[in-house]
């Protein structure tokens, strides 16, 4: 109704359409006002800037080759045109890379296979081969053999004291991460032991243990383990590798001082780690009057990979293990470029994260893409970590339409 009223008004006054007003009313009020996620609203506004412009009134305008606006006043013209459109649209119509279609079909195939597995009978019969319980028992014994040792809390206190004590924000983060990992290890150790007893018939097979048995048989992560770790993985193998990787990073940090490069994926609370990093940088400039509320994170992509880093930065931290979804990073020119065909995720080189005063931060909005960083491909508010500034020579809106983001994990 607003659009109709606005067009009637400008036609009556013989003046051009006010596209700024149209964009604001559509993208911020009538439709955008219903969008609660900031990143979704940014995307919707970008579509408005791309399509709600004067160029859509040009006779030769096309949203994409073959996708034009029909000319005529008869509704049958529009119906026939719609019938002639391809059944499957090209992702580039919406600003996405052609790889988006491959990603969609891969996800769809995974959902179908998951549904097939879920529909399999839980109790199996027949002669020959191992039973369901025998298979799970072998898995349990294998996991028990690989499970890291429990942390000694007295040793933890001594080691942290030796590397600077709890006066350093990052050491506080280390202590909290070890406590969280120890909780996960305790739950896993206890459940594996109880599962062996339940399979042997020594204890009752509770619903919790039955769920764990079913999950391990299908190579999935038991619900309790996911709940305690807040680590969502498609299968038990990836989940276990992640837990072992976290243990290696935290143990090495505790005993050998902080690493040259951190693996942000290996933290239960990555936002807390980044906040601690800002606090440490802020304290180095306390004589200059820096306050934490006035400090923001800065990001700079390095040309080196993790194995090439020989020393940590003077300020801030080096981070490795990120993946770009929707584009890739050009090392030589230090900028975002289009993805290679059929390559869904591109690794990002080491990222230097430091901090500076918000008033001193220099970022060219025409050559900086504010890229959301997520824990995994499920882009929800719970998985969001932080916005990361990445350099681009193309208009930043291009990468917004591509849905470009950074991921800590591809799985």
């Amino acid at each position: 109704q607003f659009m109709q009223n606005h067009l009637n008004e400008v036609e009556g006054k013989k003046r051009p359409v006010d596209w700024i007003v149209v964009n604001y009313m559509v993208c911020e009020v009538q439709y955008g006002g219903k969008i609660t996620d900031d990143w979704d609203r940014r995307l919707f506004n970008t579509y408005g800037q791309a399509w709600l412009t004067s160029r859509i009134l040009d006779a030769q305008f096309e949203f994409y080759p073959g996708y034009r606006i029909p000319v005529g006043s008869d509704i049958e013209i529009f119906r026939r045109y719609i019938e002639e459109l391809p059944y499957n649209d090209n992702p580039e119509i919406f600003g996405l890379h052609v790889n988006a279609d491959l990603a969609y079909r891969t996800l769809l195939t995974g959902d179908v296979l998951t549904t097939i597995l879920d529909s399999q009978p839980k109790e199996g019969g027949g002669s020959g081969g191992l039973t369901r319980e025998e298979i799970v028992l072998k898995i349990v014994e294998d996991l028990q053999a690989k499970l890291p040792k429990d942390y000694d809390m007295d040793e933890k206190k001594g080691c942290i004291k030796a590397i600077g004590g709890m006066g350093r924000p990052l050491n506080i983060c280390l202590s909290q991460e070890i406590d969280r990992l120890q909780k996960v290890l305790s739950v896993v150790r206890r459940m594996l032991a109880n599962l062996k007893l339940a399979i042997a018939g020594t204890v009752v097979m509770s619903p919790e243990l039955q769920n764990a048995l079913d999950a391990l048989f299908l190579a999935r992560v038991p619900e309790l383990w996911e709940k305690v770790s807040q680590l969502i993985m498609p299968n038990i193998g990836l989940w276990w590798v992640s837990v072992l990787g976290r243990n290696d990073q935290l143990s090495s940090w505790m005993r050998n001082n902080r690493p040259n490069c951190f693996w942000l994926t290996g933290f239960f609370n990555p936002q807390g780690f980044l906040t601690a990093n800002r606090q440490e940088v802020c304290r180095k400039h306390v004589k200059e009057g820096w306050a934490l509320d006035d400090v923001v994170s800065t990001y700079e992509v390095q040309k080196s990979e993790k194995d090439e880093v020989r020393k940590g930065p003077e300020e801030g931290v080096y981070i490795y293990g990120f993946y770009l979804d929707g584009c890739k990073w050009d090392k030589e020119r230090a900028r975002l470029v289009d993805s290679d065909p059929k390559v869904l995720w591109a690794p990002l080189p080491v990222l230097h994260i430091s901090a500076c005063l918000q008033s001193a931060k220099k970022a060219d909005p025409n050559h900086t893409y504010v890229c959301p960083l997520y824990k995994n491909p499920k882009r929800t508010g719970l998985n969001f970590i932080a916005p990361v500034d990445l350099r681009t020579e193309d208009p930043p809106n291009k990468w917004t339409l591509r849905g470009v983001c950074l991921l800590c994990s591809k799985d």
Side-chain angles (χ1 to χ4, degrees):
Q1 185 63 44
F2 160 76
M3 291 292 292
Q4 185 64 56
N5 292 340
H6 182 69
L7 293 175
N8 289 340
E9 181 184 353
V10 298
E11 184 179 11
K13 296 182 178 180
K14 304 297 182 181
R15 62 183 178 85
V17 176
D18 191 335
W19 293 104
I20 296 178
V21 172
V22 170
N23 265 276
Y24 181 81
M25 290 300 296
V26 172
C27 300
E28 292 287 355
V29 180
Q30 295 187 328
Y31 292 97
K34 299 179 177 67
I35 300 174
T36 57
D37 185 84
D38 292 338
W39 299 102
D40 289 342
R41 191 181 300 110
R42 183 182 76 162
L43 175 61
F44 191 69
N45 273 279
T46 304
Y47 275 122
Q49 294 168 17
W51 287 348
L52 296 180
T53 65
S54 58
R55 67 190 183 96
I56 66 172
L57 301 179
D58 295 341
Q60 303 302 319
F61 173 77
E62 290 183 316
F63 292 99
Y64 183 76
Y67 288 78
R68 57 181 176 79
I69 299 176
V71 178
S73 57
D74 187 354
I75 193 173
E76 289 301 323
I77 296 176
F78 292 85
R79 287 174 175 167
R80 285 197 299 270
Y81 174 75
I82 293 172
E83 291 296 328
E84 293 171 358
L85 290 174
Y87 182 75
N88 293 316
D89 295 320
N90 191 309
E92 292 182 295
I93 299 171
F94 310 101
L96 297 169
H97 192 274
V98 291
N99 286 348
D101 186 60
L102 176 61
Y104 165 72
R105 296 183 185 280
T106 301
L107 182 63
L108 191 63
T109 303
D111 290 342
V112 170
L113 294 175
T114 299
T115 302
I116 293 174
L117 284 174
D118 288 339
S119 64
Q120 295 296 309
K122 295 292 187 294
E123 300 295 336
S127 59
L130 298 174
T131 65
R132 182 187 185 88
E133 286 73 19
E134 288 172 338
I135 292 174
V136 173
L137 184 59
K138 284 185 173 292
I139 295 174
V140 168
E141 291 173 344
D142 182 53
L143 294 180
Q144 282 183 319
K146 297 177 181 178
L147 189 65
K149 296 180 180 179
D150 287 333
Y151 283 89
D152 184 322
M153 293 299 113
D154 292 331
E155 181 192 7
K156 182 194 79 169
K157 292 179 182 178
C159 289
I160 291 180
K161 185 177 180 180
I163 60 175
M166 298 295 279
R168 293 186 176 182
L170 284 177
N171 286 351
I172 296 175
C173 177
L174 169 62
S175 178
Q176 294 172 343
E177 289 290 324
I178 290 176
D179 292 343
R180 183 75 178 272
L181 179 59
Q182 179 54 51
K183 184 178 180 181
V184 174
L185 295 178
S186 298
V187 169
V188 172
R189 196 182 311 278
R190 183 173 62 252
M191 179 170 281
L192 290 176
N194 290 340
L195 197 54
K196 285 182 69 175
L197 295 175
I199 292 174
T202 307
V203 299
V204 176
M205 180 71 75
S206 65
E208 189 177 81
L209 293 176
Q210 184 64 51
N211 170 269
L213 187 146
D214 294 338
L216 292 176
F217 181 75
L218 296 174
R220 293 180 181 169
V221 185
E223 287 182 8
L224 182 61
W225 297 6
E226 282 190 346
K227 182 179 179 181
V228 173
S229 66
Q230 293 296 304
L231 177 60
I232 311 300
M233 287 289 179
N235 58 62
I236 187 64
L238 292 173
W239 188 90
W240 198 261
V241 168
S242 179
V243 169
L244 295 180
R246 291 166 188 241
N247 177 71
D248 291 342
Q249 174 169 251
L250 296 177
S251 298
S252 176
W253 182 3
M254 181 182 74
R255 297 186 175 96
N256 307 317
N257 212 336
R258 64 179 61 179
N260 296 330
C261 268
F262 288 92
W263 182 46
L264 193 67
T265 315
F267 290 102
F268 294 101
N269 182 14
Q271 296 95 330
F273 175 81
L274 296 179
T275 301
N277 177 55
R278 286 203 307 273
Q279 287 177 319
E280 287 212 348
V281 176
C282 186
R283 289 185 182 184
K284 289 184 178 181
H285 296 270
V286 67
K287 292 182 179 179
E288 301 169 31
W290 284 28
L292 184 60
D293 292 340
D294 301 326
V295 173
V296 294
S297 294
T298 60
Y299 305 90
E300 183 181 1
V301 181
Q302 308 296 296
K303 289 190 175 182
S304 53
E305 298 295 339
K306 180 238 179 183
D307 294 335
E308 300 170 353
V309 176
R310 297 290 178 262
K311 182 183 178 183
E314 294 297 326
E315 286 187 354
V317 292
Y318 286 143
I319 303 291
Y320 74 95
F322 289 150
Y323 297 91
L324 278 166
D325 184 4
C327 68
K328 69 176 184 178
W329 184 259
D330 185 342
K331 267 192 192 181
E332 297 301 321
R333 299 180 181 179
R335 64 174 184 173
L336 296 173
V337 293
D338 288 325
S339 300
D340 294 327
K342 299 183 180 180
V343 178
L344 300 183
W345 298 285
L348 186 77
V350 170
L351 182 67
H352 178 209
I353 303 180
S354 188
C356 72
L357 290 174
Q358 189 167 10
S359 58
K361 187 173 183 179
K362 298 178 181 178
D364 183 357
N366 296 321
H367 294 91
T368 301
Y369 172 63
V370 182
C371 182
L373 170 63
Y374 294 95
K375 297 178 183 178
N376 55 51
K378 193 173 183 180
R379 305 184 189 188
T380 65
L382 293 175
N383 287 328
F384 175 72
I385 297 175
V388 177
D389 297 334
L390 297 177
R391 183 176 174 274
T392 174
E393 291 293 333
D394 296 300
N397 283 355
K398 171 183 176 179
W399 308 117
T400 302
L401 294 177
R402 289 280 169 95
V404 170
C405 75
L406 274 171
L407 301 175
C408 288
S409 171
K410 299 179 293 183
D411 304 300

